[in-house]
Amino acid sequence: MTHFLDIHTTDPAALRSIIDTARRMKDARTGRPRGACDDATPLAGHMVALIFEKPSTRTRVSFDVGVRQMGGETMVLSGADMQLGHGETIADTARVLSRYVDLIMIRTFEEATLLEMAEHATVPVINGLTNRSHPCQIMADVMTYEEHRGPIAGKKVVWSGDGNNVFASFAHAAGQFGFDLTFTGPEPLDPEPALRDLITIERDPRIAVAGADLIVTDTWVSMHDPQSARERRHNQLRGYQVNAALMARANPDALFMHCLPAHREDEVTSEVMDGPNSVIWDEAENRLHAQKAIMRHCLGC
């Protein structure tokens, strides 16, 4: 049984195969009318459970559409529907769901919930996001970079902002795909110590982006943060905004990415988001294609 729990726990050859499959599937749909059926429906007869303890737009829509495009069916379950760990244990929920569905995607808060689900499920489990990592997003990001600029191996990627769960998966990817990753942000928001051997830390964003091939940022605040935390983070991160002046210090053909949703004029200016170096809409679309490939990888189809 093949789970997809994190980039650093997945074999590099499997990661490369997923990216290649995603690109082939995307190319196969290019130019086709919206709603046209795929010739191949590898998930026909399969039921996929999509569990959302945390709300979502891109993850929910991209997984749901991806399953349907491949001929499968989805069952969308919210945290309120399931109350994971409240009453019935996560382990028992995993055992029961495994009798009904062929694949489980879970977007949750604690990594422990994901790991317990995977330990006790008898069907593959995909990490749709935890507070610690977001591997599906970064597979889409790697795919997007390589569509525009070729192999990411050996390139310089700079993350500006908070060393959060999305950054953690970027650090995992740096080790697996062989690119250089620099973190620039305030010390209180540094990534977890376990990631330090995979990255370079440079406090001055102007120095950090010199020679960068890709600049990435993320929202400064979470929807769950209280107002006091939002104000503190804005004060901490104001100097790490990605704007035209910062992009000008990178390589001339450097790309800009953001996993979205973005707060325009906070972590990034509209000038950069809508500018010629931004690939955020391709990045968002590629969540669909990357996740379709991940599902095929897990199901071996």
Side-chain angles (χ1 to χ4, degrees):
M1 185 168 53
T2 304
H3 299 306
F4 185 77
L5 304 182
D6 262 318
I7 289 175
H8 66 299
T9 60
T10 304
D11 182 77
L15 295 172
R16 174 51 56 193
S17 178
I18 289 169
I19 296 292
D20 292 345
T21 298
R23 293 187 67 175
R24 287 197 302 271
M25 296 183 76
K26 181 177 183 178
D27 289 345
R29 294 190 66 84
T30 299
R32 302 181 69 188
R34 185 176 294 274
C37 296
D38 280 328
D39 296 328
T41 52
L43 263 62
H46 289 79
M47 176 64 73
V48 179
L50 306 177
I51 301 173
F52 293 93
E53 281 201 297
K54 296 187 74 169
S56 165
T57 299
R58 274 151 292 278
T59 300
R60 175 168 178 165
V61 174
S62 57
F63 265 107
D64 200 349
V65 171
V67 172
R68 293 167 188 263
Q69 285 183 353
M70 294 191 292
E73 297 184 63
T74 61
M75 176 181 296
V76 180
L77 302 166
S78 71
D81 294 328
M82 306 197 65
Q83 297 183 339
L84 281 174
H86 302 284
E88 184 174 59
T89 66
I90 296 165
D92 287 351
T93 299
R95 294 183 182 106
V96 171
L97 280 179
S98 297
R99 299 298 181 101
Y100 301 147
V101 304
D102 304 291
L103 179 66
I104 298 169
M105 188 289 301
I106 180 168
R107 181 181 173 95
T108 187
F109 291 92
E110 300 302 324
E111 184 184 48
T113 301
L114 167 75
L115 297 179
E116 187 173 354
M117 180 73 70
E119 180 182 357
H120 296 281
T122 55
V123 299
V125 174
I126 294 173
N127 176 2
L129 175 141
T130 70
N131 287 348
R132 194 172 186 188
S133 65
H134 196 1
C136 291
Q137 177 65 57
I138 305 311
M139 292 297 287
D141 291 358
V142 171
M143 176 184 174
T144 304
Y145 183 88
E146 295 194 337
E147 275 186 337
H148 287 268
R149 297 290 187 263
I152 198 170
K155 301 299 183 180
K156 180 179 179 179
V157 178
V158 176
W159 177 280
S160 183
D162 179 10
N164 62 13
N165 53 350
V166 184
F167 175 81
S169 287
F170 248 117
H172 296 153
Q176 299 288 64
F177 287 97
F179 58 86
D180 296 323
L181 179 62
T182 297
F183 170 82
T184 185
E187 186 172 359
L189 299 179
D190 272 358
E192 62 181 89
L195 302 175
R196 303 294 172 80
D197 290 342
L198 299 171
I199 65 173
T200 299
I201 295 179
E202 170 52 61
R203 298 294 173 206
D204 188 333
R206 297 169 299 176
I207 296 174
V209 300
D213 301 292
L214 169 62
I215 297 176
V216 191
T217 192
D218 195 3
T219 181
W220 289 347
V221 295
S222 167
M223 66 183 73
H224 306 288
D225 288 339
Q227 184 61 35
S228 59
R230 291 168 181 256
E231 293 173 358
R232 183 175 64 253
R233 282 176 171 262
H234 274 83
N235 291 333
Q236 289 173 317
L237 290 163
R238 203 175 309 278
Y240 295 93
Q241 181 190 71
V242 180
N243 50 40
L246 194 67
M247 290 294 299
R249 290 178 173 270
N251 286 339
D253 64 347
L255 298 180
F256 169 75
M257 291 189 195
H258 189 307
C259 66
L260 303 177
H263 295 83
R264 289 173 180 256
E265 314 312 326
D266 281 351
E267 69 269 14
V268 59
T269 62
S270 291
E271 182 180 11
V272 170
M273 284 186 66
D274 301 326
N277 296 75
S278 173
V279 291
I280 58 174
W281 310 122
D282 290 340
E283 180 187 7
E285 177 189 344
N286 284 341
R287 285 287 301 277
L288 169 66
H289 308 296
Q291 289 163 184
K292 286 167 69 175
I294 289 167
M295 288 187 280
R296 294 189 67 170
H297 166 73
C298 289
L299 291 169
C301 61

